[in-house]
Amino acid sequence: MSAPHVDLFVIGAGSGGVRAARMAAAAGASVAVAEEARLGGTCVNVGCVPKKLMVYASHFRDEFEDASGFGWSTPPADFDWPTLIRNKDIEIQRLNDIYRRLLEGAGVEIVEGRASLESSARVAVGERRFHAERILVGTGGRPRRPAIPGSGLALVSDDVFALGELPERVVVIGGGYIALEFAGIFQGLGVQVTLVHRGDLPLRGFDDDLRTAIRDAMSERGVELRLGCEVAALHRCAAEVVATLGDGTALATDTALFAIGRDPNTRGIGLEAAGVDLESDGTIRVDEFSRTSVENIFAIGDCTNRMNLTPVAIAEAMALVDTLYRKRPRAMSYADIPTAVFSQPPLAAVGLTETQAREESARIEIYRSSFLPLKNTLSGRQERNLLKLVVDRETDRVLGAHMLGPDAAEIVQGLAIAIQCGATKTQFDATIGIHPTTAEEFVTMREPLPDGT
Ligand code: FAD
């Protein structure tokens, strides 16, 4: 039997692959998508969605604690991890089904199994073969394990979502957003958490004021921070996992979790043989139109390691479909992409950090506000919010907005529109606040910090 021909063969039904497949089919292309695991990819199954559900679960602890200052007396709360996992799984299955319906409704053929390239125009999935005019690689990434003794004794983020029971103690290894989010989830659920990170501050790439503030807030909440430390080895000792740190000290725990980064899923699927250039870390090299070194092979999302976020993978897919199937060629812009960390407290940012802005210009003004939110007056919680604007004194443009505190992600999403539109500080100041809110601080900060503060 001859191999069927498709206009576009998509490898990976994750955030980017599903969007590209659906939109290309809607534009008239014949499309097949291969998926070796579950539809929806990382975000739906082992990323954004289940993570955020767990963040919600762990937040209730704060609410119970804060309630008494407002007159509530609550019975001692009890938490059941298997219930959370079961309900989360039901929701994920619902989303998997929606993805299936969306793809099938658009006329996309779903091919279950691991795809690999036999040439630049031929894809194999198990026994099946496809001829493709174009191939799109959207294979995402997977959690990294370090090459240290006993590394297999630790979990990675994928494992947490299927964990049978909640441990009493967890050592989280890493200082990026996934490490902080899991540290917050576990701590909120009553687990004793230690975070080991080789840097002096977590969240490299975020504004230093936020990094310092989240370090202090996590520590205040009871997360033990071992900064400037690396885990050199893990070994099992009876029921415990023992982490040996670079300084020779040992940490005994029930569960260790590596959250030290992710590697692209690009090896062993015939990319190199087809002529696709990879970086030494396996990232697929693409041009601004997501085209690889092979004319008819494209790549989007985490496997290209441009900005590893779901909305970015989706936006790359939309730009690609416009370029290839709608006669509207366009490159994706990576400027002013807002991002959040659902740590506890959460933080979010858009635009330049103070350090980045100062590298580009000497005319930077900083507006900063650190204050106790109204809710914390009666709750007695001492946690402060931090808000910060980075402004170009000459053009008056707001170059960056940064926030740590409840609802940071919801607030910064709105600010991202203003910054994307090139809003000036004068326009921020002319905006009337909504009182009493935390967000109104962004339009009422009048005095820049003295230079050098
Ligand atoms: P993926 O969604 O990873 O999809 C790739 C798919 O390809 C997978 O389903 C995989 O099974 C499949 N595949 C791989 N190889 C093959 C093959 N050879 N054949 C067939 N199928 C294959 N982003 C946010 O924006 N916000 C968040 O809050 C957020 N939280 C996160 C939390 C965690 C714990 C993690 C791990 C990630 C999080 N992310 C978040 C990142 C986000 O999940 C990714 O950026 C996004 O999923 C990338 O989409 P993608 O299409 O590139 O790949």
Side-chain angles (χ1 to χ4, degrees):
M1 198 174 76
S2 73
H5 177 277
V6 288
D7 295 331
L8 179 68
F9 194 99
V10 181
I11 305 180
S15 304
V18 166
R19 180 59 66 95
R22 281 175 53 209
M23 292 300 132
S30 60
V31 183
V33 60
E35 174 53 56
E36 66 173 345
R38 300 180 71 179
L39 298 179
T42 303
C43 180
V44 170
N45 296 290
V46 286
C48 337
V49 175
K51 177 270 305 278
K52 188 83 186 280
L53 292 173
M54 288 183 169
V55 170
Y56 283 127
S58 73
H59 262 301
F60 284 99
R61 182 193 187 86
D62 284 2
E63 297 300 327
F64 295 138
E65 283 176 6
D66 291 351
S68 64
F70 292 87
W72 288 90
S73 50
T74 50
D78 197 24
F79 172 70
D80 185 54
W81 172 264
T83 301
L84 172 63
I85 296 296
R86 194 170 52 247
N87 290 345
K88 180 267 297 175
D89 287 344
I90 292 168
E91 174 56 13
I92 302 301
Q93 184 60 54
R94 190 182 73 85
L95 296 175
N96 294 150
D97 294 344
I98 289 175
Y99 272 76
R100 180 171 296 280
R101 282 201 300 276
L102 285 173
L103 285 167
E104 288 174 351
V108 175
E109 182 181 357
I110 301 170
V111 188
E112 285 171 19
R114 181 173 177 78
S116 55
L117 273 62
E118 292 188 331
S119 73
S120 60
R122 195 173 153 94
V123 181
V125 185
E127 298 300 307
R128 299 188 66 186
R129 299 290 179 274
F130 294 82
H131 277 296
E133 186 186 342
R134 293 183 175 121
I135 294 169
L136 173 61
V137 186
T139 49
R142 61 180 180 286
R144 182 178 307 147
R145 271 182 198 279
I148 59 167
S151 148
L153 292 171
L155 307 180
V156 291
S157 61
D158 290 1
D159 305 321
V160 177
F161 299 112
L163 205 56
E165 57 186 63
L166 189 64
E168 285 181 16
R169 299 169 299 172
V170 173
V171 171
V172 178
I173 303 149
Y177 81 95
I178 294 176
L180 265 63
E181 290 177 342
F182 279 115
I185 289 167
F186 281 125
Q187 200 275 332
L189 296 177
V191 176
Q192 192 186 317
V193 179
T194 305
L195 183 96
V196 181
H197 172 47
R198 64 181 175 192
D200 293 333
L201 286 173
L203 294 181
R204 189 159 54 91
F206 280 83
D207 189 89
D208 284 347
D209 281 336
L210 255 64
R211 299 173 74 197
T212 309
I214 186 64
R215 176 198 64 190
D216 295 347
M218 288 177 70
S219 170
E220 201 56 43
R221 281 175 173 245
V223 174
E224 187 189 339
L225 298 175
R226 302 288 296 265
L227 300 174
C229 266
E230 282 196 74
V231 172
L234 294 172
H235 69 272
R236 184 169 286 289
C237 184
E240 294 186 322
V241 174
V242 180
T244 307
L245 304 188
D247 62 8
T249 57
L251 270 177
T253 184
D254 303 318
T255 301
L257 167 67
F258 283 124
I260 55 167
R262 292 175 62 80
D263 294 318
N265 288 325
T266 53
R267 303 284 189 199
I269 54 172
L271 288 171
E272 296 100 316
V276 175
D277 285 349
L278 305 182
E279 304 289 351
S280 58
D281 65 357
T283 298
I284 300 175
R285 206 175 288 163
V286 286
D287 69 10
E288 58 183 328
F289 296 103
S290 296
R291 189 187 297 269
T292 70
S293 50
V294 177
E295 183 73 12
N296 67 318
I297 301 181
F298 299 81
I300 55 172
D302 286 9
C303 63
T304 62
N305 198 22
R306 285 172 283 185
M307 198 160 182
N308 298 340
L309 294 169
T310 279
V312 174
I314 290 172
E316 287 168 354
M318 297 300 290
L320 184 72
V321 171
D322 279 354
T323 301
L324 298 182
Y325 297 107
R326 290 188 180 138
K327 298 191 170 67
R328 289 200 302 259
R330 66 183 176 92
M332 158 90 192
S333 164
Y334 294 86
D336 297 332
I337 292 176
T339 181
V341 181
F342 297 99
S343 46
Q344 296 182 33
L347 59 91
V350 57
L352 299 185
T353 64
E354 179 177 347
T355 307
Q356 289 166 341
R358 289 197 191 284
E359 274 165 12
E360 287 182 15
S361 161
R363 314 164 315 228
I364 298 305
E365 276 179 344
I366 302 298
Y367 295 79
R368 192 171 63 200
S369 168
S370 163
F371 65 99
L372 200 67
L374 182 61
K375 187 179 175 196
N376 290 4
T377 55
L378 295 201
S379 72
R381 186 176 291 279
Q382 288 306 306
E383 206 162 81
R384 299 175 79 79
N385 288 351
L386 177 71
L387 287 79
K388 180 167 175 178
L389 288 177
V390 179
V391 176
D392 183 323
R393 191 185 304 137
E394 201 143 294
T395 63
D396 197 36
R397 273 192 61 177
V398 178
L399 303 176
H402 308 268
M403 174 176 170
L404 172 102
D407 302 320
E410 308 289 346
I411 292 167
V412 168
Q413 177 69 83
L415 291 181
I417 303 171
I419 290 182
Q420 172 89 359
C421 293
T424 60
K425 181 67 169 64
T426 308
Q427 289 168 322
F428 268 60
D429 293 348
T431 304
I432 303 295
I434 299 176
H435 186 70
T437 62
T438 292
E440 70 179 316
E441 286 289 310
F442 274 120
V443 295
T444 55
M445 290 189 278
R446 293 286 182 265
E447 287 301 316
L449 297 180
D451 272 354
T453 307

